[in-house]
Amino acid sequence: SAVISQKPSRDICQRGTSLTIQCQVDSQVTMMFWYRQQPGQSLTLIATANQGSEATYESGFVIDKFPISRPNLTFSTLTVSNMSPEDSSIYLCSVERDRVGGGFFGPGTRLTVL
Amino acid sequence: GDSVTQMEGPVTLSEEAFLTINCTYTATGYPSLFWYVQYPGEGLQLLLKATKADDKGSNKGFEATYRKETTSFHLEKGSVQVSDSAVYFCALSVPTSGTYKYIFGTGTRLKVLA
């Protein structure tokens, strides 16, 4: 199993600012994933982060808005840039369990933008 | 494209009632199917999975059978408890960039009354 921690667990931010969310895994993993869960809605994949290469973004998400770093096999960051109230969501980090085993998810970062 | 459709909630049941949460999917190929659970204030946890047609996933009294002919993966439990109150997400895995990403349904909130 994998244990995933995220920092911060929650934050309240002002419009126009940026927040960087950290994700730490207790074991080395090839792929890390960032999801967004908007209030009352399901999870939507933002991007896939592979160590040593640029992240791959899903349709509707761009690097300028959600830059991602993946400096090593146990750590990743997601930055939410130039925030607006529409960015208020829970942001979750995930790693793959195995090829078909489902994923492990972090506890999430609850972001509120005023 | 690939998608997951879940029955809308909330679902309110009395303790010991029978639970069914419907889930159907659209996918190319043969995805693996999953049910995740999110208890109040907690992160997302894998509840059960099935990797091929006619597989039955089970855990904690919950069951779901991978039905290829009806593209369904309905979640069932014979006797629910108050502690089962949570949001349940159906999901499927699709290949991407040499790994797998997960597409989630909208989630179904279950409330069990004592």
Side-chain angles (χ1 to χ4, degrees):
Chain A
S1 66
V3 177
I4 304 173
S5 59
Q6 287 185 232
K7 290 182 182 179
S9 59
R10 59 177 62 223
D11 207 341
I12 300 173
C13 300
Q14 296 297 318
R15 180 195 298 263
T17 63
S18 297
L19 176 72
T20 295
I21 302 167
Q22 299 178 7
C23 177
Q24 180 75 51
V25 188
D26 69 344
S27 57
Q28 294 185 340
V29 293
T30 305
M31 291 289 192
M32 295 177 77
F33 305 86
W34 286 98
Y35 287 83
R36 180 175 72 181
Q37 185 178 17
Q38 293 179 299
Q41 298 189 29
S42 187
L43 286 79
T44 302
L45 181 63
I46 297 171
T48 303
N50 190 4
Q51 196 268 334
S53 63
E54 285 198 3
T56 302
Y57 289 83
E58 297 297 304
S59 176
F61 297 96
V62 295
I63 187 171
D64 289 346
K65 176 68 176 177
F66 297 101
I68 288 171
S69 78
R70 183 79 204 277
N72 59 52
L73 291 174
T74 63
F75 187 79
S76 178
T77 67
L78 170 76
T79 299
V80 186
S81 304
N82 188 25
M83 287 184 287
S84 66
E86 291 71 35
D87 295 319
S88 297
S89 292
I90 298 173
Y91 292 86
L92 298 107
C93 172
S94 173
V95 302
E96 194 177 36
R97 186 183 296 256
D98 55 41
R99 182 176 175 273
V100 293
F104 291 100
F105 285 82
T109 295
R110 184 180 295 273
L111 170 62
T112 302
V113 184
L114 303 177
Chain B
D2 302 310
S3 65
V4 175
T5 302
Q6 273 182 251
M7 66 184 287
E8 296 213 6
V11 174
T12 303
L13 296 173
S14 298
E15 206 165 25
E16 299 183 3
F18 185 85
L19 168 71
T20 299
I21 300 178
N22 290 337
C23 171
T24 57
Y25 67 91
T26 302
T28 53
Y30 303 98
S32 293
L33 301 174
F34 308 88
W35 277 100
Y36 284 85
V37 59
Q38 189 172 38
Y39 296 104
E42 298 186 17
L44 206 62
Q45 301 175 28
L46 179 65
L47 179 61
L48 55 84
K49 66 177 182 179
T51 58
K52 61 183 187 298
D54 300 325
D55 265 4
K56 177 185 283 188
S58 61
N59 186 25
K60 299 182 180 180
F62 291 90
E63 293 183 341
T65 301
Y66 190 142
R67 301 286 188 199
K68 182 169 175 290
E69 63 277 11
T70 55
T71 62
S72 64
F73 193 55
H74 304 322
L75 183 69
E76 297 182 336
K77 186 174 185 182
S79 176
V80 294
Q81 305 300 312
V82 172
S83 58
D84 293 326
S85 298
V87 181
Y88 293 82
F89 293 92
C90 185
L92 60 83
S93 65
V94 293
T96 181
S97 305
T99 183
Y100 290 80
K101 64 180 181 182
Y102 299 90
I103 295 174
F104 288 83
T106 52
T108 302
R109 183 176 299 275
L110 170 66
K111 185 173 182 179
V112 181
L113 305 176

